[in-house]
Amino acid sequence: MKVISGPASKELAEKVSALTGYENVPVAFKVFPDGESYVRLEGSVQGENVAIVQTTCPPMQDGRLFQLAFMADAAKRGGAVKVTAVVPYLAYARQDKMFLAGEGVSVETVAQMLKATGIDELLTVNIHSEHAFKEFPFPAKTVSAIPLLAEYFVQKGFRGAFALSPDKGAMYIAKQAQEVLGGEAGHLDKQRDRYTGQTKQAAEGLNVKGQSVIIFDDIISTGGTIVGAAKILREQGAKHVFCACVHGLLIGDAKKRILDAGVEEIVGTDSVPGSVSKVSLAPLLSQELRAQK
Ligand code: R5P
């Protein structure tokens, strides 16, 4: 197998190559003056199974999806046998059904497009819901980075911390973290208005007085969910409040708002390279690629 370094995940791909021992194929890329993307594989993939590592987080998620499609096409034209797209953050995954009349199912459109360019299977990380894969035209798998994030806090001395999910539906995330942290786990309740996007949070039956609490979520986008949760935890008298997310999109001033709400540290992964991506997905992805070689 060879690992193709997508422009959006160059460092991560290189770490995966180093951990697996699979040869790295660099990619030359540029954006033409009119905004169109160009990619060229700088190594042979003839007769190889390849893994293209390319996250599709903002900014430029559409451009990154097109780069991925162009790399897959180039790999197949270059004689690759099987193309696995390794997409840590899969753009449009939250539009996995028609919530309102007149909508489409964006994530299925993305998958159909990727299939057409030669992608044979997809590996992603903490997709918002596996429901997204239901109508995918190729096999797709999601793996969880929550244990890696929890381990970060164990290394910082917070073994036994309370693992909190900001939403009952994501309690499985708090439970995965609890298995590593060894403390208690719980959740808040969150309701979102589909028209306004406004959310309401409540903490029925939760008591975190005097505890170190880590809020675990798959995505931080505007930061509204974490800000609301942190306020509740501070009101309850939590001793320390941290947050950990797999995909730290942190749109606009989200980071500042979260820190201003009393969160002591924000920890994310290199699914979204940036100032909070302190945990690498490389060991997790390498393990998966080795298993399917
Ligand atoms: C939603 O259900 C997700 O798990 C996240 O909680 C949500 O996407 C976070 O969005 P925001 O940061 O805008 O509140």
Side-chain angles (χ1 to χ4, degrees), residues 16 19 49 113 120 124 127 131 156 161 175 178 189 197 209 219-220 238 245 258 281 286:
V16 169
L19 285 176
N49 290 343
M113 181 185 92
D120 297 299
T124 188
I127 194 155
H131 178 79
K156 286 199 74 160
K175 286 198 165 141
Q178 180 187 30
D189 293 293
K209 191 171 167 53
I219 302 173
I220 299 178
C245 64
I258 290 169
L281 298 172
S286 299

Side-chain angles (χ1 to χ4, degrees), residues 3-283:
V3 176
I4 297 177
S5 282
S9 294
K10 186 172 177 292
E11 281 180 26
L12 175 57
E14 285 168 359
K15 285 183 187 166
V16 169
S17 279
L19 285 176
T20 54
Y22 300 155
E23 187 182 324
N24 192 266
V25 178
V27 175
F29 70 98
K30 64 182 175 186
V31 178
F32 289 108
D34 61 2
E36 292 179 359
S37 294
Y38 167 92
V39 298
R40 184 171 61 81
L41 309 186
E42 294 189 307
S44 170
V45 293
Q46 179 67 46
E48 300 279 351
N49 290 343
V50 298
I52 305 175
V53 185
Q54 168 85 342
T55 200
T56 58
C57 63
M60 226 183 87
Q61 49 272 63
D62 296 353
R64 287 172 166 171
L65 279 169
F66 269 90
Q67 285 176 338
L68 174 60
F70 296 156
M71 287 184 284
D73 177 53
K76 277 285 167 78
R77 288 175 195 268
V81 178
K82 186 173 95 173
V83 176
T84 302
V86 180
V87 189
Y89 177 77
L90 181 63
Y92 298 104
R94 283 174 287 179
Q95 185 70 22
D96 60 0
K97 59 183 169 197
M98 293 170 64
F99 296 97
L100 299 174
E103 292 180 346
V105 184
S106 310
V107 75
E108 280 175 22
T109 305
V110 167
Q112 294 289 355
M113 181 185 92
L114 296 179
K115 170 79 179 169
T117 62
I119 285 170
D120 297 299
E121 58 182 30
L122 179 126
L123 173 63
T124 188
V125 183
N126 288 93
I127 194 155
H128 186 60
S129 163
E130 285 189 47
H131 178 79
F133 297 153
K134 204 166 150 262
E135 302 291 337
F136 270 27
F138 43 51
K141 182 176 181 182
T142 182
V143 289
S144 178
I146 296 298
L148 288 176
L149 288 164
E151 183 58 33
Y152 174 93
F153 285 96
V154 169
Q155 294 303 323
K156 286 199 74 160
F158 288 96
R159 188 181 293 284
F162 191 106
L164 184 92
S165 164
D167 190 359
K168 188 177 180 185
M171 184 61 197
Y172 70 95
I173 288 181
K175 286 198 165 141
Q176 287 177 5
Q178 180 187 30
E179 278 182 27
V180 177
L181 290 165
E184 292 177 67
H187 64 84
L188 298 176
D189 293 293
K190 182 169 94 170
Q191 283 183 337
R192 186 181 293 272
D193 183 313
R194 281 276 156 213
Y195 289 93
T196 64
Q198 295 291 314
T199 57
K200 274 193 206 153
Q201 286 162 294
E204 287 201 16
L206 188 80
N207 181 3
V208 295
K209 191 171 167 53
Q211 298 234 42
S212 295
V213 185
I214 307 165
I215 310 163
F216 286 88
D217 210 351
D218 54 348
I219 302 173
I220 299 178
S221 181
T222 64
T225 301
I226 300 293
V227 168
K231 283 188 182 147
I232 292 172
L233 298 174
R234 286 294 180 198
E235 279 163 17
Q236 285 209 356
K239 188 172 163 199
H240 294 288
V241 177
F242 301 99
C243 77
C245 64
V246 181
H247 313 293
L249 306 183
L250 296 170
I251 305 301
D253 62 352
K255 184 176 173 186
K256 181 177 182 307
R257 288 174 50 238
I258 290 169
L259 296 174
D260 287 350
V263 172
E264 292 165 52
E265 185 179 358
I266 307 168
V267 180
T269 77
D270 48 6
S271 158
V272 183
S275 62
V276 306
S277 48
K278 302 169 188 176
V279 171
S280 180
L281 298 172

